Amino acid sequence: MSRKVRVRFAPSPTGPLHIGGVRTALYNYLFAKKHNGTFVLRIEDTDRNRYVEGAEQYIIDALTWCTIPFDEGPGKEGDYGPYRQSERKHLYKNYAEELIEKGSAYYAFDTPEALDHHRKDHEAKGKTFIYNWHNREKLTNSLTLTAEETKSRIASGEAYVVRFKMPHEETVLLHDRIRGEIKIDAALLDDKVLFKSDGMPTYHLANIVDDHLMEISHVIRGEEWLPSLALHVQLYKAFGWTPPEFAHLPLIMKPTGKGKLSKRDGDKMGFPVFPLTWETSVGYKEAGYFPEAVINFLALLGWNPGDEQELFTLAELVEAFELERVHKSGARFDPDKTKWYNHHYLQLQSNEDLANSYASILEKELADDYAKFTIDYITTVVSLVKERATFVADLWELSSYFFKAPESYTDKATKKHWKEETPNILVSLAAVLTDLSKFDGATVETSCKEWIAEQELSFGKVMPPLRLASVGDLKGPHLFDIMSLIGKDESIGRINSAVASL
Ligand code: GLU
């Protein structure tokens, strides 16, 4: 019978979560949901030197904003808590001792200075010092000391570590759901430290013990943990526990060149690398991205559904996601693609929702004049311009002229379209507009066009300068829609201002 799916995201709270971490969390979430499993958040905070205040809350807030909440974790206690390793401290010592009793681990008393000496000594001979089967019999540990000596050293308070006794005669056969079979020669591995006399486990011991106690069925984590896999598998074997299945995710690579995506790439090229703002680094949220866009682009950074489909809702991702389709090689990060996704998800927002988001920008830009505009008006404006917007913040650049008369006119358009006869033409047209009793788009359009025909003018002589006067530029949606929306007085006023100032 296959195990109930329980996966975990196990970040160390050493700073903000990088989007690579968010992707790891996302893949865990998708896998859990696809298999009706449980998604656990475990905070691996045993290394107090690297602990960063606020990082845990940041991780929780980031997962919440990305709409991939955990089922069990800090603040959502389930049957396997506590979910912070610092609160599980008391558990690990017994497991270290269990391995010692089983002959799979031992106490080591070598001081940092002594180890350094061995390292240098080896280097001088052109060799590398590894604390393993090759050297362990020559070092200061419970394998070389008598039982009494070991006991008395511990009793006297001497600093020690517990090391795993890596079996060296075997080839470790590893299976990774993404990478397939991997063979590792155990003779090359070192006797990793599992526990220290300060009472703290190392990452390896705590991680294995907790995955076991929390009944984790699948470990889905970043590629940087692949070198630890052989040790982890050997630890499971030593304990006599069934290991979970493993899947190591590919790195997220820089947009150009070699290496993995870093905060520096983001700073240099102007894109976020964190989901939420952290100190001076602007997050995806604050940069105006929709969580749907972030989730969608992250899902496709290292996975594909096997066809060309690029747009997925979270529910569709859950449905389509398969570990076997995760790539082995690094996934190149493409900042333009993230914008493409955001543009798509902005189009899916209702005009009302966008208008509500836009309202806060308008409030700032327009100050007292903001009160002149109803939310219906803002909604209509949004409906006319949103096609060109990637972010809500783009709406101002695209539609400011719906809220205030142009303060200047672009040079290029003015030079090209504002001719000597233009003022006369526009003043006559303004007179026609003044006489209109209705000012809807269709009426304005028909009367303008009829007038142009009567005057035997070309459209090119009238329309571009009329747009320039109304908008300040040649951009914008259908001009008669703009005029009708800003209204008759405003339209005529803008024509007069342009005539006066150009
Ligand atoms: N605490 C480790 C990290 O920060 C967890 C690695 C794992 O998932 O095993 O990534």
Side-chain angles (χ1 to χ4, degrees), residues 429-445:
L429 178 61
V432 174
L433 297 175
T434 310
D435 288 341
L436 293 179
S437 55
K438 275 169 64 199
F439 210 73
D440 59 288
T443 307
V444 181
E445 178 161 7

Side-chain angles (χ1 to χ4, degrees), residues 8-14 21 24 28 42-46 50 85 203 207-208 211 219-222 224-225 228 232 246 248:
R8 86 311 192 264
F9 177 50
S12 299
T14 54
T24 301
N28 273 282
R42 184 173 71 228
I43 300 294
E44 302 210 326
D45 57 351
T46 51
R50 294 182 60 219
Q85 287 186 329
Y203 153 73
N207 187 270
I208 254 51
D211 282 346
V219 166
I220 303 168
R221 62 184 171 191
E224 63 273 27
W225 301 102
S228 303
H232 293 180
F246 292 95
H248 289 85

Side-chain angles (χ1 to χ4, degrees), residues 349-394:
Q349 293 259 317
S350 73
N351 296 329
E352 290 74 17
D353 284 351
L354 284 174
N356 281 317
S357 310
Y358 186 23
S360 55
I361 297 176
L362 287 172
E363 225 175 323
K364 265 190 229 122
E365 294 286 354
L366 300 172
D368 290 347
D369 286 344
Y370 173 68
K372 291 190 204 154
F373 302 98
T374 63
I375 195 73
D376 284 349
Y377 181 84
I378 302 171
T379 306
T380 308
V381 170
V382 163
S383 73
L384 293 176
V385 302
K386 74 171 183 184
E387 200 187 322
R388 302 187 71 96
T390 298
F391 301 103
V392 171
D394 296 344

Side-chain angles (χ1 to χ4, degrees), residues 358-464:
Y358 186 23
S360 55
I361 297 176
L362 287 172
E363 225 175 323
K364 265 190 229 122
E365 294 286 354
L366 300 172
D368 290 347
D369 286 344
Y370 173 68
K372 291 190 204 154
F373 302 98
T374 63
I375 195 73
D376 284 349
Y377 181 84
I378 302 171
T379 306
T380 308
V381 170
V382 163
S383 73
L384 293 176
V385 302
K386 74 171 183 184
E387 200 187 322
R388 302 187 71 96
T390 298
F391 301 103
V392 171
D394 296 344
L395 293 170
W396 175 247
E397 167 70 25
L398 292 169
S399 71
S400 60
Y401 54 85
F402 281 100
F403 303 96
K404 58 178 208 185
E407 280 155 4
S408 61
Y409 306 91
T410 52
D411 277 349
K412 203 172 148 213
T414 308
K415 272 196 197 106
K416 187 153 179 225
H417 296 288
W418 200 268
K419 300 279 160 61
E420 232 182 280
E421 67 275 22
T422 305
N424 279 336
I425 295 175
L426 289 194
V427 167
S428 315
L429 178 61
V432 174
L433 297 175
T434 310
D435 288 341
L436 293 179
S437 55
K438 275 169 64 199
F439 210 73
D440 59 288
T443 307
V444 181
E445 178 161 7
T446 317
S447 29
C448 282
K449 284 183 174 166
E450 277 172 12
W451 181 80
I452 292 169
E454 272 165 33
Q455 302 297 308
E456 297 181 349
L457 287 165
S458 72
F459 269 56
K461 278 212 158 56
V462 183
M463 296 305 292

